[in-house]
Amino acid sequence: MILAVDISFWCAQIAAPWSWAPRLYPGIWAAMALIVVPYLLAQRRRSASGKPNDDRRQRTFRFLLGALVLWMATDWPIGLLGASYLASAHMLQYLMYGLIAAPLMLLGIPEWMARRLLSRLRAYQLVLRLSRPLVAGIVYNVVLITTHAPVSTDLLRSTQAGSFVMDVAWVLSGFVLWLPICSPLPEHTRRGYGVKMTYLFLAANIVPVLPASFLTFSDFPLYEIYELAPRVFGLEAGTDQALAGLIMKVGSIPIIWGVLLTMMMRWAREEGVPGMEATPVQTKGAL
């Protein structure tokens, strides 16, 4: 397999026919290094100092797994397919960012690290407000609808800077979505299971059905960038768009309903439902 000659900073629209020749995107690798390296160094310093660092291996595994999903969704080939060729790959990226990478990385951040980071960024009060279910749900779905509007997608995906902004917006909205559920700070997740389950069901399972339905049942392609792109895998623009809507509509179901079922079981154990008391539950910093 031959490496593509041109090296771009970030995945964005290109007019060339699709090729399986790998492309280099140094901006993506630099961004991943800026995320992973400081995390690992902070974990190492914490352990070397002798201060408490509970569940370090488990948290590090979750964070690195989330970072791996983030990299896979951003870099070649999924990142380039989503930025230039297929609306379905674009939608797959969105789900990977918000429903897999974001919660895994949140679960991998220890409380001490989160407090230190928010203190340095002077963002504690902002994040506290964003952790309110109503606010988090509105922010997540405003980003969803805004970035999937045809005018926004065609505009942002046409440049590297725009594509970068879209990717960052998706990742940040994913973090916001999961703050009330699995934030490393207990004051963000202090609400009862009933509130959390209702919030997650409405925010991530109900509202996204609306734009998904437009994509699935539209009689014509909505995105110019994907309609005019060179065809990949024999997918016509209309079929690709319908597939994108289907991915948005049903792709989240296994994840969201899996989390809802987990919370329901933990709620039952804590309430002492017969047959559910055997396993002790550790809820701090988890779902």
Side-chain angles (χ1 to χ4, degrees):
M1 187 175 291
I2 301 175
L3 184 69
V5 176
D6 59 313
I7 299 177
S8 302
F9 178 80
W10 205 266
C11 290
Q13 183 184 24
I14 59 175
W18 171 254
S19 169
W20 282 107
R23 293 175 178 268
L24 291 178
Y25 294 97
I28 294 174
W29 285 83
M32 294 308 305
L34 288 174
I35 293 172
V36 173
V37 173
Y39 174 88
L40 294 177
L41 290 177
Q43 286 280 38
R44 182 177 179 181
R45 292 194 192 102
R46 181 77 175 188
S47 297
S49 69
K51 296 179 181 179
N53 195 11
D54 298 337
D55 301 325
R56 176 191 175 188
R57 290 186 179 180
Q58 186 178 48
R59 288 187 180 277
T60 301
F61 173 77
R62 290 170 178 170
F63 187 89
L64 293 181
L65 182 59
L68 176 63
V69 174
L70 178 63
W71 168 70
M72 291 174 61
T74 309
D75 207 350
W76 183 93
I78 298 177
L80 183 58
L81 284 170
S84 299
Y85 296 95
L86 297 174
S88 52
H90 167 96
M91 200 63 66
L92 178 62
Q93 279 184 283
Y94 178 76
L95 294 185
M96 291 174 71
Y97 283 145
L99 300 186
I100 303 177
L104 282 173
M105 294 174 75
L106 272 180
L107 288 170
I109 300 174
E111 182 178 345
W112 60 265
M113 186 184 294
R115 293 194 185 281
R116 181 182 300 174
L117 178 62
L118 293 179
S119 176
R120 291 181 177 179
L121 296 176
R122 298 182 179 179
Y124 178 83
Q125 290 298 327
L126 172 62
V127 176
L128 183 62
R129 294 187 181 94
L130 289 173
S131 70
R132 298 170 182 169
L134 179 60
V135 177
I138 291 174
V139 169
Y140 176 76
N141 283 287
V142 166
V143 172
L144 183 155
I145 293 171
T146 301
T147 57
H148 286 92
V151 62
S152 300
T153 299
D154 289 336
L155 176 64
L156 293 175
R157 284 304 197 190
S158 62
T159 66
Q160 294 187 57
S163 193
F164 171 79
V165 168
M166 177 175 283
D167 290 342
V168 171
W170 283 354
V171 174
L172 293 180
S173 71
F175 280 118
V176 171
L177 172 69
W178 291 100
L179 277 177
I181 307 296
C182 57
S183 169
L185 302 185
E187 58 265 36
H188 294 169
T189 61
R190 60 191 173 192
R191 297 163 186 86
Y193 281 109
V195 174
K196 292 178 182 178
M197 292 168 64
T198 302
Y199 154 73
L200 187 61
F201 177 76
L202 293 175
N205 207 57
I206 294 298
V207 178
V209 169
L210 299 177
S213 298
F214 279 105
L215 293 174
T216 303
F217 300 110
S218 176
D219 294 329
F220 53 88
L222 298 175
Y223 301 115
E224 181 179 343
I225 186 173
Y226 299 119
E227 179 184 8
L228 301 180
R231 306 284 18 113
V232 181
F233 310 135
L235 282 176
E236 295 298 327
T239 304
D240 173 45
Q241 180 173 285
L243 181 58
L246 188 63
I247 291 173
M248 177 182 279
K249 186 179 296 185
V250 305
S252 64
I253 291 178
I255 299 171
I256 300 303
W257 281 95
V259 173
L260 291 175
L261 180 60
T262 300
M263 287 196 289
M264 188 180 300
M265 294 175 64
R266 293 186 174 185
W267 191 9
R269 292 194 188 107
E270 291 184 6
E271 293 295 323
V273 175
M276 302 293 290
E277 308 94 331
T279 306
V281 182
Q282 174 59 266
T283 58
K284 183 178 179 180
L287 299 180

